[in-house]
Amino acid sequence: MALSVPKAPGVSQMLKEGARMYTGLEEAVYRNIDACKEFAQTMRSAYGPNGMNKMIINHIDKQFVTSDAGTIMRELDVEHPAARLMVMASEMQDAEVGDGTNFVVIFAGALLEKAEELLRLGITTSEIADGYEKALAKALEVLPKLVCHDIRDCRNVENVKKCLKASIMSKQYGQEDFLTDLVAKACVAILPDNATFNVDNIRVCKIVGCGLTKSEVVHGMVFKRFVEGDVTYAENAKVAIFSCPLDIIQTETKGTVLIKTADELLNFSAGEENLLEAQIKAIADAGVKVVVAGGKVGDMALHYLNKYGLVAVRLNSKFDIRRLSRAVNATVLPRITTPTQEELGHCDKVCIEELGDTTIVAFRNEGKNSRISTIVIRGATDNYLDDIERAIDDGVNNFKALSADGRYLPGAGATEIELATQISSFADTLPGLEQYAVRRFATALEVLPKALADNSGLNGTEVVNLLYLAHREASGKNVGVNIEAEKPETMDVTEGADDEKPKIYDLYQCKYWSLKYAVEAAVTILKVEQIIRAKRAGGPTAPQAAGSDDEN
């Protein structure tokens, strides 16, 4: 009989055998900070216009080549619980604004790195957390005073382009002028008068071949498929949309028909055909020129569609059917019936086009009736097209945010250095130990302009010193990093001609929420005193080493 060894008293005796618990500074807090520092360092080299791409091969062997932090974190299966908190904060930033995900991770990692220095000096985690929260409150108080640009008219394409350029430049440096023009035109064309802007109304169609400069904006929708019948063109057309297949109607229940003679068989078949022809003729008589089906189009139905000169398009996705109904202002019908005039949509032109060796069906609405725009992008490889789509997505999300709040801050690290300058002065007025954490908060803000400079091949420390020197002057609050210079150099990001030194603006809402989510994530991680990891069936029983968490 085996000897029963009692468990040690405490939490461990309440958990399954094999469960692990880490507690205290050395085991829990420093372990979490080390993992988060490593993760932030991985993301830091992808920050800014000159950020390096990462090549990620996910669990199904799909390859991604991108510098977009949201995509990188989505495809990395991060297991460390503290690093997961940073990822979740970044996901919240993506849901709130749609941009600035890398800022959250880098700044949260910098805050934790500075907190580790304070912990080794003997300051407690609660004092550091209180100091960070005071510094955040001060930063959010200063932030509105740094606004340098405000968009009042969201329908002015030129004004919109100036503000979207920095966001798109951070993903596609060198192509920002062309892409910004596409995004601005597509967004302004469908901006509703009295409703909020819906990012789902901007679609992207990726077609391999040719070059990026052959991309275009289509007011309407584009599908990579061919029409079902022989009719391929319709102009000023009424559109009927069905979510069901276009075929001979099947009964809802099984039935048996007893046929005794050949004449009965012929009459039965003719009855089905006549019924289908009557349905399609009634649709054509209602003025319909284009029929869209959510299922297969039968051979007999196709014959009658060709006979009455109707364009037939089949869409397999119910989401595409919903979007198309929005685009042409039609009602989706669940069964084959004659649509009323209120249920029909309208499209200026439905046609077949060829882009390279790809055939597309285009639903074009050139007037003000267009509710959806499609950006057709061209490129050499699928990975390149995916990266262009991410840049467009960031630009569209920025437009949504500016349509709600048009305030902009100076970019290129100018806002961060100005905040650091003012928060350092604020720390001198505090009497308690929180002042050390507040001062470290200001130092952590330097990491972002330094990362911009380092990724551009400049000396980051020297650039930060030049920025501080400029920001000490009353007129220097808009001075940021000049990433195009060959040596450490600064510039006023709100001045200069667009063809030489473009104006660089950061969205106010993006910076506001980035600061909040980064500080909340860092404070949450600092307040973790114990890590209790229960044993999982067939899984690891302890956290992995900090250096390998960001590679999972």
Side-chain angles (χ1 to χ4, degrees):
M1 182 175 174
L3 179 65
S4 175
V5 180
K7 291 183 179 181
V11 177
S12 58
Q13 71 178 355
M14 296 184 286
L15 303 176
K16 281 185 178 181
E17 185 177 350
R20 301 291 297 271
M21 186 176 76
Y22 298 87
T23 184
L25 284 175
E26 293 294 337
E27 282 194 332
V29 180
Y30 290 147
R31 182 186 292 266
N32 287 342
I33 290 175
D34 285 343
C36 294
K37 279 164 53 182
E38 291 287 340
F39 185 63
Q41 188 61 39
T42 301
M43 306 305 299
R44 184 176 165 182
S45 59
Y47 184 64
N50 291 317
M52 301 291 285
N53 285 343
K54 311 288 183 188
M55 182 179 287
I56 301 138
I57 302 170
N58 66 6
H59 61 287
I60 57 172
D61 286 339
K62 185 176 180 182
Q63 180 177 299
F64 296 83
V65 181
T66 181
S67 62
D68 180 56
T71 304
I72 295 170
M73 286 183 283
R74 191 163 50 248
E75 298 306 325
L76 287 177
D77 188 14
V78 179
E79 284 194 354
H80 196 284
R84 280 293 307 160
L85 287 172
M86 294 173 67
V87 172
M88 286 189 281
S90 183
E91 288 172 350
M92 280 304 303
Q93 171 72 11
D94 192 30
E96 188 72 44
V97 184
D99 196 8
T101 50
N102 210 348
F103 183 104
V104 174
V105 174
I106 295 171
F107 187 46
L111 289 173
L112 291 171
E113 187 175 349
K114 302 303 177 186
E116 184 179 10
E117 299 172 5
L118 295 176
L119 287 170
R120 296 194 187 278
L121 292 174
I123 298 176
T124 63
T125 53
S126 60
E127 289 165 341
I128 297 171
D130 289 344
Y132 280 174
E133 286 169 353
K134 284 185 178 179
L136 174 63
K138 180 65 177 176
L140 298 183
E141 178 189 329
V142 172
L143 211 57
K145 300 173 185 175
L146 303 182
V147 172
C148 63
H149 187 67
D150 195 356
I151 288 188
R152 300 291 182 185
D153 183 12
C154 296
R155 298 184 185 278
N156 188 320
V157 175
E158 291 303 318
N159 286 345
V160 169
K161 282 166 62 176
K162 291 176 184 176
C163 295
L164 295 185
K165 187 174 290 186
S167 171
I168 294 176
M169 185 191 296
S170 66
K171 299 291 184 298
Q172 288 294 324
Y173 189 41
Q175 305 287 355
E176 66 273 7
D177 291 321
F178 180 72
L179 289 175
T180 302
D181 187 57
L182 289 180
V183 173
K185 286 179 180 176
C187 293
V188 170
I190 63 163
L191 181 63
D193 292 328
N194 300 316
T196 57
F197 180 81
N198 185 1
V199 295
D200 192 52
N201 289 342
I202 301 292
R203 310 305 304 163
V204 175
C205 181
K206 298 174 287 188
I207 298 178
V208 177
C210 205
L212 180 64
T213 54
K214 294 298 182 181
S215 304
E216 62 172 333
V217 176
V218 174
H219 299 305
M221 292 200 70
V222 171
F223 302 100
K224 287 194 289 185
R225 54 188 313 109
F226 200 77
V227 294
E228 297 295 313
D230 298 334
V231 186
T232 60
Y233 182 84
E235 195 169 351
N236 195 21
K238 290 182 179 178
V239 183
I241 302 179
F242 300 96
S243 59
C244 61
L246 280 178
D247 204 352
I248 295 171
I249 298 175
Q250 303 292 329
T251 57
E252 293 183 2
T253 58
K254 289 184 178 180
T256 302
V257 178
L258 183 61
I259 295 175
K260 297 180 179 179
T261 64
D263 290 336
E264 288 181 0
L265 178 61
L266 290 172
N267 291 334
F268 180 78
S269 300
E272 282 188 324
E273 293 171 9
N274 292 337
L275 177 61
L276 183 61
E277 182 179 9
Q279 288 173 331
I280 293 176
K281 183 177 184 301
I283 293 172
D285 290 342
V288 175
K289 292 184 180 179
V290 179
V291 176
V292 179
K296 71 169 187 175
V297 180
D299 292 339
M300 186 60 63
L302 198 58
H303 166 70
Y304 291 123
L305 288 168
N306 290 334
K307 178 180 178 181
Y308 292 104
L310 301 181
V311 178
V313 180
R314 176 186 174 185
L315 298 179
N316 296 323
S317 168
K318 62 181 181 181
F319 301 106
D320 282 343
I321 289 176
R322 289 176 188 170
R323 293 185 188 110
L324 181 60
S325 69
R326 256 198 336 262
V328 300
N329 196 23
T331 301
V332 180
L333 302 174
R335 55 192 296 271
I336 304 175
T337 56
T338 305
T340 63
Q341 294 302 312
E342 291 77 17
E343 292 170 334
L344 292 175
H346 177 271
C347 190
D348 291 340
K349 187 190 294 184
V350 179
C351 57
I352 293 294
E353 298 177 11
E354 285 192 9
L355 297 177
D357 60 350
T358 305
T359 304
I360 64 169
V361 180
F363 289 77
R364 295 178 179 268
N365 267 328
E366 301 299 339
K368 291 185 178 180
N369 297 326
S370 179
R371 297 184 178 186
I372 290 183
S373 288
T374 302
I375 302 176
V376 181
I377 53 176
R378 310 295 306 279
T381 65
D382 289 325
N383 280 324
Y384 179 67
L385 290 176
D386 289 342
D387 220 23
I388 296 292
E389 183 181 13
R390 293 180 198 110
I392 290 173
D393 185 56
D394 279 359
V396 172
N397 279 291
N398 267 261
F399 183 84
K400 178 188 176 182
L402 77 86
S403 65
D405 185 350
R407 290 178 292 175
Y408 275 84
L409 301 165
T415 301
E416 288 84 353
I417 293 297
E418 184 63 25
L419 285 174
T421 304
Q422 298 202 29
I423 291 172
S424 293
S425 302
F426 171 66
D428 296 335
T429 65
L430 297 175
L433 289 174
E434 293 94 345
Q435 64 174 297
Y436 296 103
V438 173
R439 195 167 282 111
R440 286 298 196 278
F441 184 100
T443 311
L445 284 165
E446 299 173 6
V447 170
L448 295 142
K450 189 175 181 182
L452 280 177
D454 288 339
N455 293 341
S456 301
L458 305 173
N459 187 322
T461 305
E462 193 174 341
V463 168
V464 169
N465 290 337
L466 290 172
L467 287 173
Y468 270 122
L469 191 63
H471 280 256
R472 286 196 185 98
E473 301 175 4
S475 60
K477 69 176 185 178
N478 296 330
V479 174
V481 184
N482 184 3
I483 61 171
E484 296 181 351
E486 295 182 3
K487 59 182 181 179
E489 189 178 308
T490 60
M491 66 174 185
D492 190 325
V493 296
T494 61
E495 295 179 358
D498 286 341
D499 55 346
E500 296 174 3
K501 292 183 179 179
K503 298 177 181 178
I504 303 171
Y505 298 123
D506 282 347
L507 189 66
Y508 174 86
Q509 286 292 318
C510 181
K511 200 73 71 179
Y512 176 88
W513 289 107
S514 296
L515 289 168
K516 286 196 71 169
Y517 287 136
V519 174
E520 286 173 11
V523 167
T524 303
I525 292 166
L526 282 175
K527 288 182 176 178
V528 173
E529 183 194 10
Q530 294 181 338
I531 305 173
I532 303 171
R533 189 155 187 171
K535 179 178 173 59
R536 294 182 297 176
T541 58
Q544 298 179 356
S548 62
D549 286 317
D550 58 332
E551 300 298 332
N552 291 332

